[in-house]
Amino acid sequence: MTVTIYDVAREANVSMATVSRVVNGNQNVKPATRQKVLAVIERLDYRPNAVARGLASKKTKTVGVIIPDISNVFYAELVRGIEDIATMYRYNIILTNSDQQPMKEAQLLSTLLSKQVDGVVLMSDQLSEELREEMKRSSIPIVLAGTLDQTSDTPSVNIEYHEAAVEAVERLIRNGHTRIAYVTGSLKSSINRLHKLTGYEKALDAANIEIDSDLVVEVNNTYEEGIRAFEQLQSLKQPPTAYFAGNDEIAIGILQGAKDADLDVPGDIEIISFEDSKLTRMVRPQLTSIAMPLYDIGAVSMRLLTKFMNNEKVEDNSVILPYRLEERQSVKQ
Amino acid sequence: MTVTIYDVAREANVSMATVSRVVNGNQNVKPATRQKVLAVIERLDYRPNAVARGLASKKTKTVGVIIPDISNVFYAELVRGIEDIATMYRYNIILTNSDQQPMKEAQLLSTLLSKQVDGVVLMSDQLSEELREEMKRSSIPIVLAGTLDQTSDTPSVNIEYHEAAVEAVERLIRNGHTRIAYVTGSLKSSINRLHKLTGYEKALDAANIEIDSDLVVEVNNTYEEGIRAFEQLQSLKQPPTAYFAGNDEIAIGILQGAKDADLDVPGDIEIISFEDSKLTRMVRPQLTSIAMPLYDIGAVSMRLLTKFMNNEKVEDNSVILPYRLEERQSVKQ
DNA sequence: ATGAAAGCGCTAACAT
DNA sequence: ATGTTAGCGCTTTCAT
């Protein structure tokens, strides 16, 4: 039925080993025999069985990717970066969505390991105990993309969230604001809590602005929750005049919430986002945003993973990519 | 080093076959032995090697997914539908991006086949000859998601694009428009050419409105090209007063192009999109749109694929999902 | 209910 | 440069 390496060997009057050699580009084959074998492969339309190859070589040329949700632009761009580099190095990716559920994350990793992936790229707001447990058992390399883990030196690719947050809030302060809200994703995430929130506070502190906990609102990373947060904050006795948003969807929620309340952006309200997906350019006014290089974080993570999979020397486990503040129209010049 | 089924068998004083049976939930095992084996599995932290299993059983429990570009919201939502149902049936997905390049599509399918996936979900504007060739060689089921192929009866999941296009354009005509533009993705795509374009023309025809080829603009499915198309069309002697857009990004490009030109939507310009991703709600005015059930198309495609993989009877190869016209603010009531 | 044994299709020593 | 052979870790008859 299906053509195997054995069939090719027989038809070409060589051994399986020789066929294997030409298929794998081994140089120890006389050009003449190589041609002969190639001809038979062509004639029989032979295709190596990657599963058999994986079993014999203990390498599957596939890597696992665990992300919260592919339908979120943020992760989608990241995955594209991963996939492009994976392709470049002849890997395929098994994509899984965790919805940030600790149980599910651990289970997904377990499944990926049983499928013998050569490595894993992982994204998660917070590494749960279950997940860490599972990671420890794994003998293959794992790279964290846009994910921080204080408790270990798991390789990771990130930006300097803290500095970026400081810069964003300082920008708002520079425009004279003293009531600056921070609408953030889950504070269980160490990035949000230990890096961005502290950056927000540091900038306020440095400007002698009192920190008001009412101005920090924790929401899910969605457009709808951005609107909700805006409405909640505007109902304060002293509502904020500027917003620092945890991501683009939240920022757009705030923006449209303001518009729907007949407030002008950036006239009455100024907004800085933190992500800079293409969504920032698709709304009016276009959003000023901290630009996270999503595609690059994915790409670099995958590149880093290939190094580990090849047992190459890696100078630094934790790579930091540059960010920048992308000035657009939701903040006055 | 790694624990194998043989180690478990030895420790539990049973044969590999018995271990295999309990792992696979075969009922022909005495409860007592089952317990004994389970205990050893737990103790040794044994995990079945899916690659070995795949080689022996000729089933890998993984399916391939070929889409143009995961960073496009459209495909991302679709993939989420696929993945959710795949998980439900205990499949994993290998995700690949084709960028609609015929060569690459064929190559990706080939790679997936060599990896012995049990099935494939495929999305593509146009099935090229190369790709069709590769599909013919494949002995595993393939389902087309949001993709039409006139020349074969490959299973597929779609909506009635033609009827949807007619309805959208009729809606615009009802508001008194006679200069209605159609800004579409590639007309090489049979959906765009044979279904949506003909729907557009049919609606105009039925209303005795002359068809002006200047009003049909072919672009890439991006926001930027939407803006470009708008500018091009507005420079006509008789510019259109209403737009039918091929997808949400194009529609948003038109919308913001209009705003940037100080035109009011829907006052001066009315727009209907064709996709209804969450982007429609994230802009002002919110976009009226033909709602394509993206997630469902993915989910149903995957469900259909499982049926084929299980050799279940399938009543109809081509399933049609309902669409609807989602009325929002880019069209006057 | 359980075991023995033959593959699945390939790679990787090792030998020549 | 080429061939021989022993696995890789599992499933699946076929016996018992």
Side-chain angles (χ1 to χ4, degrees):
Chain A
M1 178 67 229
T2 54
V3 183
T4 74
I5 197 173
Y6 180 75
D7 299 320
V8 176
R10 181 171 31 73
E11 292 287 311
N13 288 311
V14 297
S15 70
M16 291 166 54
T18 298
V19 178
S20 176
R21 285 189 188 100
V22 345
V23 167
N24 292 295
N26 187 315
Q27 286 308 303
N28 288 337
V29 183
K30 201 179 358 173
T33 44
R34 177 185 307 282
Q35 291 315 315
K36 188 171 56 175
V37 171
L38 252 19
V40 175
I41 287 178
E42 172 85 358
R43 179 157 62 79
L44 301 188
D45 193 23
Y46 165 71
R47 302 186 196 200
N49 178 323
V51 172
R53 193 192 291 224
L55 183 58
S57 69
K58 294 175 170 300
K59 298 234 157 300
T60 55
K61 278 291 181 176
T62 110
V63 304
V65 174
I66 302 177
I67 55 168
D69 178 15
I70 190 62
S71 68
N72 182 311
V73 194
F74 186 94
Y75 301 111
E77 288 195 20
L78 225 141
V79 168
R80 188 51 148 113
I82 295 174
E83 219 268 330
D84 281 356
I85 305 302
T87 300
M88 192 171 298
Y89 287 88
R90 312 208 159 293
Y91 284 89
N92 285 112
I93 66 174
I94 294 184
L95 179 79
T96 64
N97 297 292
S98 69
D99 291 317
Q100 300 267 25
Q101 295 170 24
M103 279 310 197
K104 206 170 166 191
E105 289 174 328
Q107 209 171 286
L108 288 173
L109 180 53
S110 173
T111 303
L112 290 173
L113 295 177
S114 81
K115 292 225 169 170
Q116 314 301 119
V117 294
D118 297 336
V120 169
V121 178
L122 173 61
M123 263 151 291
S124 178
D125 271 359
Q126 36 180 330
L127 302 189
S128 62
E129 257 327 301
E130 296 96 308
L131 182 52
R132 277 218 186 71
E133 220 38 67
E134 205 60 45
M135 287 171 69
K136 263 183 236 158
R137 290 193 212 172
S138 138
S139 56
I140 57 166
I142 297 180
V143 170
L144 303 178
T147 301
L148 245 23
D149 182 20
Q150 323 80 326
T151 75
S152 82
D153 61 343
T154 309
S156 63
V157 179
N158 287 283
I159 66 165
E160 294 193 323
Y161 305 101
H162 181 80
E163 286 71 10
V166 170
E167 182 169 341
V169 177
E170 276 177 348
R171 182 68 185 78
L172 260 9
I173 293 172
R174 187 139 47 86
N175 273 15
H177 295 281
T178 56
R179 298 289 290 167
I180 301 175
Y182 175 33
V183 183
T184 172
S186 169
L187 287 176
K188 284 182 188 150
S189 149
S190 66
I191 290 179
N192 288 341
R193 191 178 68 256
L194 269 32
H195 297 248
K196 290 163 73 175
L197 179 56
T198 59
Y200 164 80
E201 292 171 341
K202 181 178 178 184
L204 293 182
D205 241 15
N208 283 318
I209 298 175
E210 193 194 356
I211 290 170
D212 180 349
S213 62
D214 282 350
L215 293 181
V216 176
V217 178
E218 188 179 356
V219 298
N220 289 326
N221 289 315
T222 64
Y223 165 70
E224 286 78 10
E225 299 248 322
I227 295 192
R228 275 212 315 99
F230 175 81
E231 289 168 350
Q232 173 184 331
L233 283 158
Q234 285 308 116
S235 69
L236 254 37
K237 293 136 296 177
Q238 292 185 58
T241 56
Y243 285 80
F244 176 41
N247 77 353
D248 286 347
E249 280 208 30
I250 291 175
I252 294 179
I254 294 167
L255 171 64
Q256 306 300 17
K259 273 203 204 169
D260 293 348
D262 270 331
L263 290 170
D264 182 61
V265 178
D268 304 315
I269 302 278
E270 298 193 72
I271 305 170
I272 291 189
S273 179
F274 199 110
E275 174 173 344
D276 200 52
S277 66
K278 57 183 164 185
L279 297 182
T280 55
R281 276 144 279 156
M282 290 170 67
V283 293
R284 292 297 181 275
Q286 296 186 22
L287 285 172
T288 292
S289 177
I290 294 289
M292 280 198 66
L294 297 174
Y295 180 92
D296 294 347
I297 290 179
V300 171
S301 297
M302 184 64 211
R303 177 66 185 105
L304 188 56
L305 188 59
T306 64
K307 288 186 183 169
F308 286 114
M309 294 187 297
N310 285 329
N311 298 309
E312 290 176 34
K313 280 273 165 294
V314 172
E315 52 300 337
D316 200 348
N317 259 7
S318 131
V319 358
I320 300 293
L321 261 28
Y323 69 89
R324 62 179 192 292
L325 178 60
E326 197 69 58
E327 303 257 6
R328 295 204 187 78
Q329 302 141 10
S330 63
V331 171
K332 290 180 244 171
Q333 286 309 313
Chain B
M1 180 65 230
T2 54
V3 183
T4 73
I5 198 173
Y6 179 77
D7 299 321
V8 176
R10 182 170 31 74
E11 293 287 310
N13 287 311
V14 296
S15 70
M16 290 165 54
T18 298
V19 178
S20 176
R21 286 189 189 98
V22 347
V23 167
N24 291 296
N26 186 313
Q27 287 308 305
N28 288 339
V29 183
K30 200 172 11 169
T33 43
R34 179 188 306 282
Q35 290 315 314
K36 187 170 59 173
V37 171
L38 251 19
V40 175
I41 287 179
E42 172 84 359
R43 179 158 63 78
L44 300 188
D45 192 23
Y46 166 70
R47 304 188 195 198
N49 178 324
V51 173
R53 192 191 290 224
L55 183 58
S57 70
K58 294 176 172 299
K59 298 235 158 298
T60 55
K61 279 287 180 181
T62 111
V63 303
V65 175
I66 302 177
I67 56 168
D69 177 16
I70 191 61
S71 68
N72 182 311
V73 194
F74 185 93
Y75 301 111
E77 288 195 20
L78 225 142
V79 168
R80 189 50 149 110
I82 295 174
E83 220 268 329
D84 281 357
I85 305 302
T87 300
M88 192 171 298
Y89 287 88
R90 309 206 162 294
Y91 283 89
N92 286 110
I93 67 173
I94 295 184
L95 179 78
T96 64
N97 298 292
S98 69
D99 291 317
Q100 300 268 26
Q101 295 171 23
M103 279 311 199
K104 206 168 166 191
E105 289 174 327
Q107 210 171 284
L108 289 172
L109 180 53
S110 173
T111 303
L112 290 172
L113 295 177
S114 81
K115 292 225 168 168
Q116 313 301 118
V117 295
D118 297 335
V120 169
V121 177
L122 173 62
M123 263 151 292
S124 178
D125 270 1
Q126 36 179 330
L127 302 189
S128 63
E129 256 327 299
E130 296 96 309
L131 182 52
R132 278 219 187 73
E133 219 38 67
E134 207 60 44
M135 288 171 68
K136 264 183 238 159
R137 290 193 213 174
S138 138
S139 56
I140 58 166
I142 297 179
V143 171
L144 304 177
T147 300
L148 244 24
D149 183 19
Q150 324 79 325
T151 75
S152 82
D153 60 342
T154 309
S156 63
V157 178
N158 288 283
I159 65 164
E160 294 193 322
Y161 305 100
H162 181 80
E163 285 71 10
V166 169
E167 182 168 342
V169 177
E170 277 177 347
R171 181 69 186 77
L172 260 10
I173 292 172
R174 188 138 45 87
N175 274 14
H177 295 281
T178 55
R179 297 290 290 168
I180 301 175
Y182 175 34
V183 182
T184 171
S186 169
L187 286 177
K188 284 182 188 152
S189 149
S190 65
I191 290 179
N192 288 341
R193 191 179 67 257
L194 268 33
H195 297 248
K196 290 163 73 176
L197 180 56
T198 59
Y200 163 81
E201 292 171 340
K202 181 178 176 183
L204 294 183
D205 240 15
N208 283 318
I209 298 175
E210 192 195 358
I211 291 169
D212 179 349
S213 63
D214 282 352
L215 293 181
V216 176
V217 178
E218 187 178 358
V219 300
N220 290 326
N221 289 314
T222 65
Y223 165 70
E224 286 79 10
E225 299 249 320
I227 296 193
R228 275 212 313 101
F230 175 80
E231 290 167 349
Q232 173 185 331
L233 283 158
Q234 285 307 116
S235 70
L236 254 37
K237 292 137 296 176
Q238 293 184 58
T241 55
Y243 286 78
F244 175 41
N247 78 353
D248 285 348
E249 281 208 30
I250 291 175
I252 294 179
I254 294 168
L255 171 63
Q256 306 300 17
K259 274 203 204 170
D260 294 348
D262 271 329
L263 290 171
D264 182 61
V265 178
D268 303 315
I269 301 277
E270 299 193 70
I271 305 170
I272 291 188
S273 179
F274 198 110
E275 173 172 345
D276 201 51
S277 67
K278 58 183 165 187
L279 296 182
T280 54
R281 274 144 281 158
M282 292 171 67
V283 293
R284 293 295 180 278
Q286 296 186 23
L287 286 173
T288 293
S289 178
I290 292 288
M292 279 198 66
L294 297 174
Y295 180 92
D296 294 347
I297 290 178
V300 170
S301 296
M302 185 61 211
R303 178 64 184 105
L304 188 57
L305 189 58
T306 64
K307 289 186 184 170
F308 285 113
M309 293 188 298
N310 285 328
N311 298 309
E312 291 175 33
K313 280 273 165 293
V314 171
E315 52 300 338
D316 200 347
N317 259 8
S318 132
V319 359
I320 300 294
L321 261 30
Y323 69 88
R324 63 179 191 291
L325 178 60
E326 198 68 61
E327 302 257 3
R328 296 205 186 78
Q329 302 141 9
S330 63
V331 171
K332 290 181 242 170
Q333 286 309 313

